Amino acid sequence: MHQLHPMLTIAVKAARRAGAVISRASRDIDAVTVTAKRQSDFVTEVDKAAEAAAIDVLRKAYPGHAILAEESGASGESEYTWIIDPLDGTTNFIHGFPQYAVSIALRHRGILTQGVIFDPTRNELFTASRGRGAFLNDRRIRVAKRAHMREALIGTGFPFRELGHLEEYVRMFKAVVSATAGVRRAGAAALDLAYVACGRLDGFWEIGLAPWDMAAGCLLILEAGGLVADFDGDEGYLEKGHVVCGAPKIFGQLLPIISAEYKRRA
Ligand code: IPD
């Protein structure tokens, strides 16, 4: 068992608590109440209960820290902010499609320092502390070694809330499908990013993500030796919500494709 950073230990505890709430509810999905936040954007009582469980753990350990959470929003002021998605992949969860996760990250003075993604359906725990590498359960993980786009498997997310991005997205999709071995849309961005970190995917891109969808996953990728950027190739991805990432050689080929199509937008 590798030594976890103390703050990561708390984040793991919070993620497991949220995961327990989700697992319990997944045994009787028909009993779960679903509300539409906006078109194609759902929330369940499970998202809220899982978020409350995670926040309870974090607040007890660090009462002075700020929180930015998908369902309850921003609270507190501190140089430390916990960024929480209690149930990333809510639509999958509602359908009993087993691809969803808890995502928790810590940002200190604007820098991501801790990240946890917990998949309760497979009991897979992805963790990373800045400067200390990334892990899947107890095993150190690294991004894939593949160097050629022709062999690469790329993850993505379809724009479904901001349909204004659909046109440019379809152009990106066409270009990536033509250049690679395949494209997958599994429906939980946090897990897609964790899969890039452990080499199951060679790269990933999505338009219009929220910080809680990607904060932990981006740190995992960086700590696993991968690269992450916005569509201009800069570091503003958490704020802009547009992210492209991958193992270094694949990232180097994916970014120009995505960014060329993005620049062509009307
Ligand atoms: C969503 C998932 C999905 C992505 C969306 C996210 P949620 O998270 O990560 O894969 O395409 O952009 O909002 O809303 O289910 O937590």
Side-chain angles (χ1 to χ4, degrees):
M1 180 79 193
H2 67 281
Q3 192 66 34
L4 292 190
H5 185 287
M7 285 178 162
L8 187 60
T9 306
I10 297 296
V12 167
K13 189 174 168 192
R16 286 199 183 277
R17 282 279 171 82
V21 171
I22 295 167
S23 292
R24 227 174 297 129
S26 72
R27 286 181 218 126
D28 189 7
I29 293 192
D30 290 341
V32 172
T33 315
V34 181
T35 320
K37 289 196 265 193
R38 287 178 283 174
Q39 193 195 333
S40 308
D41 193 4
F42 302 99
V43 62
T44 70
E45 70 219 43
V46 182
D47 298 61
K48 291 178 188 159
E51 184 167 300
I55 291 179
D56 186 52
V57 172
L58 298 171
R59 277 226 194 286
K60 276 198 180 117
Y62 301 109
H65 287 187
I67 285 180
L68 174 64
E70 177 168 17
E71 310 309 337
S72 56
S75 60
E77 243 181 72
S78 162
E79 57 188 38
Y80 290 96
T81 302
W82 292 97
I83 306 176
I84 306 166
D85 190 337
L87 176 47
D88 182 55
T90 302
T91 303
N92 283 348
F93 174 77
I94 292 166
H95 289 261
F97 187 104
Q99 184 75 3
Y100 44 83
V102 183
S103 173
I104 300 180
L106 180 65
R107 207 175 186 199
H108 180 224
R109 297 188 176 165
I111 293 169
L112 294 168
T113 56
Q114 314 292 339
V116 182
I117 293 174
F118 178 53
D119 171 354
T121 74
R122 299 176 183 83
N123 201 20
E124 287 190 329
L125 181 75
F126 297 86
T127 54
S129 288
R130 188 175 149 85
R132 293 190 181 195
F135 293 80
L136 164 49
N137 297 332
D138 264 345
R139 194 166 47 83
R140 179 91 194 242
I141 51 174
R142 290 187 190 285
V143 292
K145 291 198 178 67
R146 253 169 240 98
H148 304 292
M149 282 293 262
R150 280 267 150 256
E151 295 158 10
L153 186 62
I154 305 294
T156 188
F158 305 143
F160 59 92
R161 278 180 301 238
E162 292 178 43
L163 295 182
H165 286 302
L166 213 46
E167 293 285 310
E168 68 204 79
Y169 179 80
V170 168
R171 286 201 309 271
M172 290 172 184
F173 183 76
K174 253 183 161 172
V176 177
V177 167
S178 321
T180 59
V183 177
R184 299 288 180 268
R185 196 299 189 237
L191 276 183
D192 293 331
L193 296 168
Y195 284 14
V196 173
C198 70
R200 293 174 186 167
L201 291 171
D202 299 284
F204 172 84
W205 92 98
E206 185 161 348
I207 303 179
L209 283 173
W212 44 78
D213 297 318
M214 62 166 140
C218 291
L219 180 64
L220 275 161
I221 293 171
L222 294 170
E223 288 298 323
L227 296 171
V228 185
D230 60 27
F231 294 168
D232 298 314
D234 297 330
E235 284 182 6
Y237 43 90
L238 275 192
E239 286 70 30
K240 289 188 193 157
H242 305 329
V243 69
V244 51
C245 56
K249 292 207 171 101
I250 299 299
F251 173 87
Q253 298 163 79
L254 184 59
L255 173 62
I257 297 177
I258 299 299
S259 116
E261 297 304 337
Y262 186 61
K263 285 185 185 125
R264 279 179 51 201
R265 73 192 185 280

